[in-house]
């Protein structure tokens, strides 16, 4: 491969810089947008939606409790009356 | 001694094979045999009480008050039966040992009353915890359904399910009200049938509460499916 001349090297460097600056700018703009969209930036629009997760958790816990009830009643029914 | 106590005691002694008229000819010492048989029956009760204590300590939904009450019942019965064991050993006549055998049954009711008191109180307190959780789930679901409705969704079916869930919760609450307290208020005594009926009434109510709680859970699931749909 032929060695690059000084002119070629400078041209290559300029080309690289020309590409790098806009890319970096893009990054900054994206970062800025992220910051302003964040809750700290107070620009986020809050949309209230029905989030059923709390209810789902409560129903799951209810199922677990009903399992405990079932076990306790089964144990009560299985206990011997003996000769009392 | 009441008639039911006599009948009960007679059946126990018959089961033990120590009714005087039917005593085997080979029984050299009926008093020792009777003492041994009654002591064995006391030991069975002590073992049952020990298991009851394990159940009480392991029950995660028992209220502090009920745990304390049940522990006292079991500990008192254990102490009383321990004293009865000593009493039986010291007896010198068959009649005295028979009196101790009657006391073992009527004064403690380990199997007929104490065991059910422990296990049904555990079940009742678990049902109370489930009841509270069902109400919490209902209220959370109702809030979410109201949000959906405010957003313009048709929530008619979900509201019907919510109403049925609340009806089931109210039913369970009514089933459960005062049952454990009534059971814990029953004391040992010679009225076998009376004790049996008291226990059966509580068992029936707890069973109804369980059915209602299952219904409440199913209705809640329907509402949740609507919200997630």
């Amino acid at each position: 491969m032929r060695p690059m001349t000084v002119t070629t090297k400078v041209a290559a460097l300029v080309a690289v810089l020309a590409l790098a600056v806009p890319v970096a700018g893009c990054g900054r703009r994206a970062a800025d947008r992220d910051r302003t969209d964040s809750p700290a930036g107070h620009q986020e629009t809050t949309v209230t939606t029905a989030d059923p997760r709390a209810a789902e958790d409560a129903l799951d816990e209810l199922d677990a409790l009903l399992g405990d009830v079932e076990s306790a009643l089964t144990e009560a029914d299985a206990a011997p009356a003996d000769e009392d | 001694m009441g008639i039911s106590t006599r009948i009960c005691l007679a059946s126990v002694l018959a089961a033990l094979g120590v009714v005087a008229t039917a005593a085997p000819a080979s029984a050299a010492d009926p008093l020792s045999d009777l003492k041994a048989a009654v002591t064995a029956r006391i030991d069975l009760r002590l073992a049952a009480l020990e298991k009851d204590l394990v159940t009480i300590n392991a029950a995660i939904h028992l209220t502090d008050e009920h745990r304390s009450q049940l522990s006292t019942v079991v500990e008192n019965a254990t102490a009383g039966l321990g004293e009865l064991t000593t009493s039986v050993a010291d007896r010198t006549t068959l009649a005295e040992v028979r009196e101790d055998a009657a006391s073992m049954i009527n004064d403690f009711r380990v199997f007929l009353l104490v065991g059910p008191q422990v296990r049904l109180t555990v079940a009742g307190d678990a049902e109370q915890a489930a009841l509270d959780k069902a109400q919490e789930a209902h209220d959370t679901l109702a809030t979410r359904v109201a949000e959906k409705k405010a957003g313009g969704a048709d929530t008619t079916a979900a509201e019907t399910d919510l109403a049925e869930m609340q009806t089931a919760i109210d039913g369970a609450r009514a089933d459960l009200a005062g049952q454990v307290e009534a059971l814990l208020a029953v004391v040992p005594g010679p009225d076998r049938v009376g004790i049996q009926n008291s226990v059966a009434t509580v068992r029936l109510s707890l069973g109804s509460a369980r059915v209602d709680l299952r219904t409440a859970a199913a209705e809640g699931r329907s509402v949740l499916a609507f919200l997630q749909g």
Side-chain angles (χ1 to χ4, degrees), chain A residues 27-54:
Chain A
R28 269 200 303 278
R29 280 194 295 277
D32 290 344
R33 191 168 58 245
D34 287 345
R35 271 198 298 279
T36 52
D37 286 352
S38 72
H42 301 294
Q43 290 181 15
E44 191 176 1
T45 305
T46 303
V47 178
T48 304
T49 54
D51 177 6
R53 277 173 299 183

Side-chain angles (χ1 to χ4, degrees), chain A residues 80-81 84, chain B residues 109-116 191-193 195-196 199:
Chain A
D84 261 3
Chain B
R109 293 292 182 189
V110 171
F111 295 111
L112 192 72
L113 178 61
V114 177
D191 184 7
R192 181 179 211 277
V193 174
I195 293 171
Q196 234 171 356
V199 170

